[in-house]
Amino acid sequence: MDNSYDIIIRGGTVVTASDRFQADVAIAADTIVAVGRGLGPGRREIDATGKLVLPGGVDAHCHIEQLSAAGIMNADTWESATGSAALGGTTTVISFAAQHMGLDLTQVVADYAALARNGAIVDYSFHMIVSDPTEITLRDHLPALIREGHASIKVFMTYDRLRVHDEQMLDILLTARENGALVCVHAENHGIIAWMGKRLIERGYTAPKFHAVSHPRVSEAEAFNRLIAMAALIDQPIMIFHVSTVEGAAVIRRARGEGLKVFAETCPQYLFLTAQDLDKPGVEGAKWMCSPPPRTEMDQEALWRALDLGDLQTISSDHAPYAFDESGKLSSGPNPTFKQVANGLPGLETRLPLLFDAMVSKGRMSLERFVELTATAPAKIYNLHPKKGSIAIGADADIVVWNPDVSVTLTDALMHDRTGYTPYAGRTVQGWPVIVLRRGEVIVENGRLQAQPGSGRFLPRQGGWAAQPSERLQAEMDAERNFGASLFSRAK
Ligand code: DUC
Ligand code: ZN
Ligand code: ZN
């Protein structure tokens, strides 16, 4: 009987969120079946001597083949986006199914699922963007979709055609609570941003650098506070996306200190870029425009500290690729005002190399924390663990063999997504993924992608967030029972 393994990754340093150790990793079919010394033989042996053996990255916030509310299409297809993710060491993504006004959410999710089914190269799941929380959406569609494995909802507090107002937010939080879903939020104060933008444009300040001015830092902290108050009223866990400021991080720290169920992420653009990157001749700075905008070095330091302290738990790319041409950033013509430029940066492929360089090569954080922030923590928060996000017996064999010594200078030409540029061109990073396995299949080797579009699998994620009511909610519910109402349930 042939009792050899399908693949042995031999002689590397295995790293998890808690440990690092010298070991071989044995794979049978799509699963890790043994971790130990002297394992084997394997039908295929991968020599990892001098290399790190890491869990594949989990990028829990990326926009793929998504139509913006203004009707602008992402530069990427599922194939190009997830191919670039794989080449950067990421083997799981959570993308979006974006409901625009008037659309049926069930149909929206089916449409995005069909795109992913055809093109995905890494495994994937969806957050459902809800911008039109109609009665049928809340009562029927969301509960059914959550049961089918779409256990997170994304809501915007800004953007004219996407945002929900406070009462709608409360409805969505309550629906999420009753069905065990997590609510992820783009939290910025819409009124402040609209007011600032209008005045800047009226006065002729139209260049991309004024995009950053139009999103004052208080607009973030205000929205965080209001969102957290609403989530506390409903007792619903939330994930605050792309934290960018000192003040925002402080709001989250306080809320978590009070025991509220608040998770938060930041992104490489807030750790490595500043508002000055938008200050380029002509409209070139549009390439660095995202929302919230990159801020200052002081904010970068505050975000690193918040990561250190555990106030922020994950680092996602917020990959939102728009080409620097009439199909994307310049869809309003060659000289748009900053208000006419699509917001977003590419980042799926560069997330892990940039973070490895800053954290591990430059010594800011440990290897274990790098793994935790980029793979294990997002897998746990979004209910993908233990299949994803770690190297353990029984986990999917999503593994990156990482060379910690090689230096790579990032260039536009090196990237494999279809944006046509990287905001990090010219930076040299130390550390690069050399072999990537997805469920036991080698999908990247020698810098080449070798996977079929459509070979990525949908990952249903069950709810499970509906916890015991907090003392605060229990008190509210006890009080309303006294007069016979049930305000905190959808049933009247
Ligand atoms: N801002 C968003 O809100 N979404 C995508 C990208 C961006 O910059
Ligand atoms: Zn956002
Ligand atoms: Zn986003």
Side-chain angles (χ1 to χ4, degrees), residues 138-170:
L138 295 167
R139 192 195 57 221
D140 297 343
H141 295 174
L142 273 170
L145 288 162
I146 293 166
R147 273 197 304 278
E148 285 166 23
H150 307 289
S152 50
I153 299 168
K154 161 83 181 286
V155 188
F156 288 86
M157 294 172 78
T158 185
Y159 290 121
D160 282 326
R161 280 173 275 201
L162 284 174
R163 74 193 170 108
V164 298
H165 56 64
D166 290 355
E167 289 171 46
Q168 292 173 316
M169 177 72 87
L170 290 165

Short mmCIF file of all heavy atoms in Angstrom, two decimals, residues 138-170:
data_model
loop_
_atom_site.label_atom_id
_atom_site.label_comp_id
_atom_site.label_asym_id
_atom_site.label_seq_id
_atom_site.Cartn_x
_atom_site.Cartn_y
_atom_site.Cartn_z
N LEU A 138 -35.24 43.30 4.74
CA LEU A 138 -34.97 43.04 6.16
C LEU A 138 -35.69 41.79 6.66
O LEU A 138 -35.12 40.98 7.40
CB LEU A 138 -35.42 44.25 6.99
CG LEU A 138 -34.66 45.56 6.75
CD1 LEU A 138 -35.39 46.74 7.39
CD2 LEU A 138 -33.23 45.47 7.29
N ARG A 139 -36.91 41.63 6.25
CA ARG A 139 -37.75 40.56 6.82
C ARG A 139 -37.44 39.21 6.19
O ARG A 139 -37.36 38.19 6.87
CB ARG A 139 -39.23 40.91 6.62
CG ARG A 139 -40.20 40.05 7.42
CD ARG A 139 -41.62 40.20 6.90
NE ARG A 139 -41.72 39.88 5.49
CZ ARG A 139 -42.45 40.57 4.60
NH1 ARG A 139 -43.16 41.61 4.99
NH2 ARG A 139 -42.47 40.21 3.33
N ASP A 140 -37.25 39.20 4.86
CA ASP A 140 -37.13 37.91 4.16
C ASP A 140 -35.73 37.65 3.60
O ASP A 140 -35.15 36.60 3.83
CB ASP A 140 -38.12 37.85 3.00
CG ASP A 140 -39.57 37.92 3.48
OD1 ASP A 140 -39.79 37.69 4.69
OD2 ASP A 140 -40.45 38.22 2.66
N HIS A 141 -35.24 38.62 2.83
CA HIS A 141 -34.02 38.34 2.07
C HIS A 141 -32.80 38.16 2.97
O HIS A 141 -32.05 37.19 2.84
CB HIS A 141 -33.78 39.45 1.04
CG HIS A 141 -34.84 39.50 -0.02
ND1 HIS A 141 -34.90 40.48 -0.97
CD2 HIS A 141 -35.90 38.69 -0.26
CE1 HIS A 141 -35.94 40.27 -1.77
NE2 HIS A 141 -36.58 39.19 -1.34
N LEU A 142 -32.59 39.12 3.87
CA LEU A 142 -31.40 39.03 4.71
C LEU A 142 -31.39 37.75 5.57
O LEU A 142 -30.37 37.03 5.56
CB LEU A 142 -31.25 40.27 5.60
CG LEU A 142 -30.52 41.44 4.93
CD1 LEU A 142 -30.63 42.71 5.78
CD2 LEU A 142 -29.06 41.11 4.67
N PRO A 143 -32.47 37.43 6.28
CA PRO A 143 -32.41 36.19 7.08
C PRO A 143 -32.11 34.96 6.23
O PRO A 143 -31.30 34.11 6.62
CB PRO A 143 -33.82 36.12 7.70
CG PRO A 143 -34.26 37.55 7.78
CD PRO A 143 -33.69 38.20 6.55
N ALA A 144 -32.71 34.88 5.04
CA ALA A 144 -32.47 33.70 4.19
C ALA A 144 -31.02 33.67 3.71
O ALA A 144 -30.36 32.62 3.72
CB ALA A 144 -33.43 33.71 3.01
N LEU A 145 -30.51 34.82 3.30
CA LEU A 145 -29.14 34.87 2.79
C LEU A 145 -28.12 34.57 3.89
O LEU A 145 -27.12 33.89 3.66
CB LEU A 145 -28.86 36.24 2.15
CG LEU A 145 -29.59 36.46 0.81
CD1 LEU A 145 -29.66 37.94 0.46
CD2 LEU A 145 -28.91 35.67 -0.31
N ILE A 146 -28.39 35.07 5.08
CA ILE A 146 -27.48 34.78 6.20
C ILE A 146 -27.46 33.27 6.47
O ILE A 146 -26.41 32.67 6.63
CB ILE A 146 -27.89 35.59 7.46
CG1 ILE A 146 -27.67 37.09 7.22
CG2 ILE A 146 -27.11 35.12 8.69
CD1 ILE A 146 -28.35 38.01 8.23
N ARG A 147 -28.65 32.66 6.44
CA ARG A 147 -28.72 31.20 6.65
C ARG A 147 -27.94 30.45 5.57
O ARG A 147 -27.39 29.39 5.81
CB ARG A 147 -30.18 30.74 6.63
CG ARG A 147 -30.88 30.82 7.97
CD ARG A 147 -32.16 29.99 7.99
NE ARG A 147 -33.10 30.34 6.94
CZ ARG A 147 -33.97 31.36 6.99
NH1 ARG A 147 -34.01 32.12 8.07
NH2 ARG A 147 -34.78 31.62 5.99
N GLU A 148 -27.93 31.02 4.35
CA GLU A 148 -27.21 30.35 3.25
C GLU A 148 -25.69 30.52 3.34
O GLU A 148 -24.96 30.04 2.48
CB GLU A 148 -27.69 30.90 1.90
CG GLU A 148 -29.06 30.38 1.51
CD GLU A 148 -29.68 31.18 0.38
OE1 GLU A 148 -28.92 31.82 -0.39
OE2 GLU A 148 -30.92 31.18 0.28
N GLY A 149 -25.21 31.26 4.34
CA GLY A 149 -23.76 31.35 4.52
C GLY A 149 -23.15 32.71 4.24
O GLY A 149 -21.93 32.84 4.18
N HIS A 150 -24.02 33.72 4.11
CA HIS A 150 -23.51 35.09 3.91
C HIS A 150 -23.69 35.84 5.23
O HIS A 150 -24.58 36.68 5.36
CB HIS A 150 -24.27 35.78 2.78
CG HIS A 150 -24.30 34.98 1.51
ND1 HIS A 150 -23.17 34.81 0.73
CD2 HIS A 150 -25.29 34.29 0.90
CE1 HIS A 150 -23.48 34.06 -0.31
NE2 HIS A 150 -24.76 33.73 -0.23
N ALA A 151 -22.82 35.52 6.19
CA ALA A 151 -23.11 35.95 7.56
C ALA A 151 -22.50 37.29 7.93
O ALA A 151 -22.20 37.54 9.09
CB ALA A 151 -22.65 34.87 8.54
N SER A 152 -22.31 38.16 6.94
CA SER A 152 -21.89 39.52 7.29
C SER A 152 -22.50 40.52 6.33
O SER A 152 -22.67 40.24 5.14
CB SER A 152 -20.37 39.65 7.33
OG SER A 152 -19.81 39.13 6.16
N ILE A 153 -22.80 41.68 6.89
CA ILE A 153 -23.46 42.76 6.15
C ILE A 153 -22.52 43.95 6.17
O ILE A 153 -21.85 44.20 7.17
CB ILE A 153 -24.79 43.14 6.85
CG1 ILE A 153 -25.74 41.94 6.87
CG2 ILE A 153 -25.45 44.35 6.19
CD1 ILE A 153 -26.95 42.14 7.79
N LYS A 154 -22.47 44.68 5.04
CA LYS A 154 -21.64 45.89 4.98
C LYS A 154 -22.56 47.08 4.77
O LYS A 154 -23.44 47.04 3.90
CB LYS A 154 -20.66 45.78 3.82
CG LYS A 154 -20.05 47.11 3.33
CD LYS A 154 -18.88 47.53 4.17
CE LYS A 154 -18.28 48.86 3.72
NZ LYS A 154 -17.51 48.81 2.49
N VAL A 155 -22.35 48.13 5.54
CA VAL A 155 -23.18 49.32 5.44
C VAL A 155 -22.28 50.56 5.33
O VAL A 155 -21.23 50.62 5.97
CB VAL A 155 -24.06 49.47 6.71
CG1 VAL A 155 -25.07 50.57 6.52
CG2 VAL A 155 -24.78 48.17 7.01
N PHE A 156 -22.72 51.51 4.53
CA PHE A 156 -22.00 52.77 4.38
C PHE A 156 -22.75 53.89 5.12
O PHE A 156 -23.97 54.01 4.97
CB PHE A 156 -21.91 53.19 2.91
CG PHE A 156 -20.96 52.33 2.09
CD1 PHE A 156 -21.39 51.14 1.52
CD2 PHE A 156 -19.65 52.74 1.89
CE1 PHE A 156 -20.52 50.36 0.77
CE2 PHE A 156 -18.77 51.97 1.13
CZ PHE A 156 -19.21 50.78 0.57
N MET A 157 -22.00 54.72 5.83
CA MET A 157 -22.60 55.91 6.45
C MET A 157 -22.37 57.15 5.58
O MET A 157 -22.87 58.23 5.89
CB MET A 157 -22.02 56.13 7.85
CG MET A 157 -22.40 55.00 8.82
SD MET A 157 -21.57 55.10 10.42
CE MET A 157 -22.51 56.39 11.23
N THR A 158 -21.58 57.02 4.53
CA THR A 158 -21.40 58.12 3.59
C THR A 158 -21.49 57.55 2.17
O THR A 158 -21.68 56.35 1.99
CB THR A 158 -20.08 58.85 3.83
OG1 THR A 158 -20.01 59.99 2.94
CG2 THR A 158 -18.88 57.97 3.57
N TYR A 159 -21.40 58.44 1.20
CA TYR A 159 -21.61 58.24 -0.24
C TYR A 159 -23.11 58.42 -0.52
O TYR A 159 -23.95 57.69 0.04
CB TYR A 159 -21.16 56.86 -0.76
CG TYR A 159 -19.67 56.65 -0.78
CD1 TYR A 159 -19.09 55.60 -0.07
CD2 TYR A 159 -18.85 57.49 -1.51
CE1 TYR A 159 -17.72 55.40 -0.07
CE2 TYR A 159 -17.48 57.30 -1.52
CZ TYR A 159 -16.91 56.25 -0.81
OH TYR A 159 -15.57 56.06 -0.82
N ASP A 160 -23.39 59.39 -1.42
CA ASP A 160 -24.78 59.77 -1.71
C ASP A 160 -25.69 58.59 -2.00
O ASP A 160 -26.78 58.51 -1.48
CB ASP A 160 -24.81 60.71 -2.93
CG ASP A 160 -24.41 62.12 -2.53
OD1 ASP A 160 -24.73 62.51 -1.39
OD2 ASP A 160 -23.76 62.81 -3.34
N ARG A 161 -25.22 57.67 -2.85
CA ARG A 161 -26.14 56.64 -3.32
C ARG A 161 -26.02 55.31 -2.57
O ARG A 161 -26.63 54.33 -2.95
CB ARG A 161 -25.92 56.41 -4.82
CG ARG A 161 -26.63 57.48 -5.64
CD ARG A 161 -26.30 57.37 -7.10
NE ARG A 161 -25.07 58.09 -7.37
CZ ARG A 161 -24.70 58.52 -8.57
NH1 ARG A 161 -25.45 58.28 -9.61
NH2 ARG A 161 -23.57 59.18 -8.74
N LEU A 162 -25.21 55.30 -1.54
CA LEU A 162 -25.02 54.04 -0.82
C LEU A 162 -25.42 54.13 0.65
O LEU A 162 -25.77 53.12 1.27
CB LEU A 162 -23.54 53.62 -0.86
CG LEU A 162 -22.99 53.04 -2.14
CD1 LEU A 162 -21.48 52.83 -2.00
CD2 LEU A 162 -23.67 51.71 -2.48
N ARG A 163 -25.35 55.34 1.19
CA ARG A 163 -25.41 55.45 2.66
C ARG A 163 -26.80 55.14 3.20
O ARG A 163 -27.81 55.35 2.53
CB ARG A 163 -25.00 56.85 3.08
CG ARG A 163 -26.03 57.90 2.81
CD ARG A 163 -25.43 59.26 2.97
NE ARG A 163 -26.35 60.27 2.49
CZ ARG A 163 -27.01 61.10 3.28
NH1 ARG A 163 -26.87 61.02 4.58
NH2 ARG A 163 -27.83 61.99 2.77
N VAL A 164 -26.79 54.67 4.42
CA VAL A 164 -28.05 54.50 5.14
C VAL A 164 -28.09 55.55 6.25
O VAL A 164 -27.05 55.95 6.77
CB VAL A 164 -28.19 53.09 5.75
CG1 VAL A 164 -28.20 52.04 4.65
CG2 VAL A 164 -27.10 52.77 6.76
N HIS A 165 -29.29 56.02 6.56
CA HIS A 165 -29.39 56.97 7.67
C HIS A 165 -29.56 56.21 8.98
O HIS A 165 -29.65 54.98 8.99
CB HIS A 165 -30.47 58.02 7.42
CG HIS A 165 -31.84 57.45 7.16
ND1 HIS A 165 -32.52 56.73 8.10
CD2 HIS A 165 -32.62 57.49 6.05
CE1 HIS A 165 -33.68 56.35 7.61
NE2 HIS A 165 -33.76 56.78 6.36
N ASP A 166 -29.59 56.95 10.08
CA ASP A 166 -29.49 56.29 11.38
C ASP A 166 -30.63 55.29 11.64
O ASP A 166 -30.40 54.21 12.20
CB ASP A 166 -29.47 57.33 12.51
CG ASP A 166 -28.17 58.13 12.52
OD1 ASP A 166 -27.26 57.80 11.73
OD2 ASP A 166 -28.07 59.08 13.32
N GLU A 167 -31.85 55.64 11.23
CA GLU A 167 -32.95 54.71 11.50
C GLU A 167 -32.79 53.42 10.69
O GLU A 167 -33.07 52.32 11.18
CB GLU A 167 -34.29 55.36 11.18
CG GLU A 167 -34.65 56.44 12.18
CD GLU A 167 -35.86 57.23 11.74
OE1 GLU A 167 -36.85 56.61 11.32
OE2 GLU A 167 -35.79 58.47 11.81
N GLN A 168 -32.32 53.58 9.45
CA GLN A 168 -32.06 52.38 8.64
C GLN A 168 -30.93 51.55 9.27
O GLN A 168 -30.98 50.32 9.28
CB GLN A 168 -31.69 52.78 7.22
CG GLN A 168 -32.84 53.41 6.45
CD GLN A 168 -32.38 53.94 5.11
OE1 GLN A 168 -31.34 54.56 4.99
NE2 GLN A 168 -33.17 53.69 4.07
N MET A 169 -29.94 52.25 9.78
CA MET A 169 -28.83 51.53 10.43
C MET A 169 -29.35 50.70 11.59
O MET A 169 -28.98 49.53 11.77
CB MET A 169 -27.78 52.54 10.92
CG MET A 169 -26.62 51.91 11.67
SD MET A 169 -25.51 51.02 10.57
CE MET A 169 -24.45 52.38 10.08
N LEU A 170 -30.25 51.29 12.39
CA LEU A 170 -30.80 50.55 13.53
C LEU A 170 -31.57 49.32 13.06
O LEU A 170 -31.47 48.23 13.64
CB LEU A 170 -31.68 51.47 14.38
CG LEU A 170 -30.92 52.56 15.15
CD1 LEU A 170 -31.86 53.64 15.65
CD2 LEU A 170 -30.14 51.95 16.32
#
